[in-house]
Amino acid sequence: MPGSDALRQDELRKHPGFLLARTRWQAFRNFHEHIGQPLGLKPVEYSILVLLGVNEQVSQRQLADALDVAAPNMTGILHKLEERELVERQRAEADRRVQYIVLTPKGAKLLKQANAASKEMDKDWLGRLTPGEAGMLLELLGKLADGK
């Protein structure tokens, strides 16, 4: 385009990695706007709250495995969530050596707020897609994320 400062990107847009990286940047920007900044959550923290909200008897190792976070890093993340009184450790009744990570009432309340904000966030950036396209996108991203 004569007189335009925009670069042609058609060749670059043939590379899925480029498009995924651009999409990831948009996803993080939208997350920060809708959840991160207003509710003070990082994506990994929100992911932990979501997992705890739908699973029972969750260990630190299970969280680390599910989110592909190194065990020492998960320890630090959970410590920060404990300091904010969003999660707590509870000993298992059957084996007192085992500890589970659970949501506190404060954590459950914040998760409810974050889930509501998440719905708005998804509308904002997935609103360009039809429901069928959005479903297909989730299915395809799931396959890529699972390494299948």
Side-chain angles (χ1 to χ4, degrees):
M1 293 194 250
S4 172
D5 287 340
L7 296 174
R8 283 186 50 217
Q9 295 184 20
D10 51 322
E11 196 62 34
L12 189 55
R13 294 175 69 85
K14 293 178 186 176
H15 297 278
F18 169 75
L19 295 172
L20 286 169
R22 288 284 307 254
T23 303
R24 180 179 182 267
W25 179 81
Q26 289 179 359
F28 276 105
R29 186 184 69 212
N30 286 335
F31 180 91
H32 179 73
E33 180 182 322
H34 287 88
I35 297 173
Q37 195 277 326
L39 300 177
L41 287 174
K42 295 177 182 174
V44 70
E45 294 170 335
Y46 174 62
S47 297
I48 289 169
L49 297 183
V50 169
L51 289 172
L52 294 176
V54 297
N55 292 282
E56 294 182 18
Q57 298 186 335
V58 178
S59 71
Q60 179 173 326
R61 181 194 52 76
Q62 288 173 303
L63 289 171
D65 289 348
L67 299 174
D68 200 22
V69 173
N73 293 344
M74 182 57 72
T75 299
I77 295 165
L78 290 174
H79 182 70
K80 289 177 185 173
L81 292 174
E82 285 176 298
E83 285 179 341
R84 293 177 59 192
E85 299 178 351
L86 301 176
V87 303
E88 64 185 14
R89 295 173 190 271
Q90 290 183 350
R91 295 215 178 266
E93 292 296 322
D95 183 348
R96 303 296 288 166
R97 296 171 296 175
V98 176
Q99 288 187 345
Y100 296 120
I101 312 298
V102 298
L103 285 176
T104 63
K106 184 177 176 182
K109 181 179 177 183
L110 184 62
L111 175 59
K112 187 175 180 178
Q113 293 173 314
N115 282 339
S118 167
K119 287 184 172 92
E120 288 304 311
M121 175 183 71
D122 289 345
K123 280 183 202 173
D124 278 357
W125 79 297
L126 294 177
R128 296 173 276 219
L129 304 177
T130 67
E133 289 171 334
M136 183 177 285
L137 176 64
L138 288 174
E139 182 179 336
L140 295 172
L141 288 172
K143 284 183 178 183
L144 292 174
D146 293 341
K148 295 178 184 172

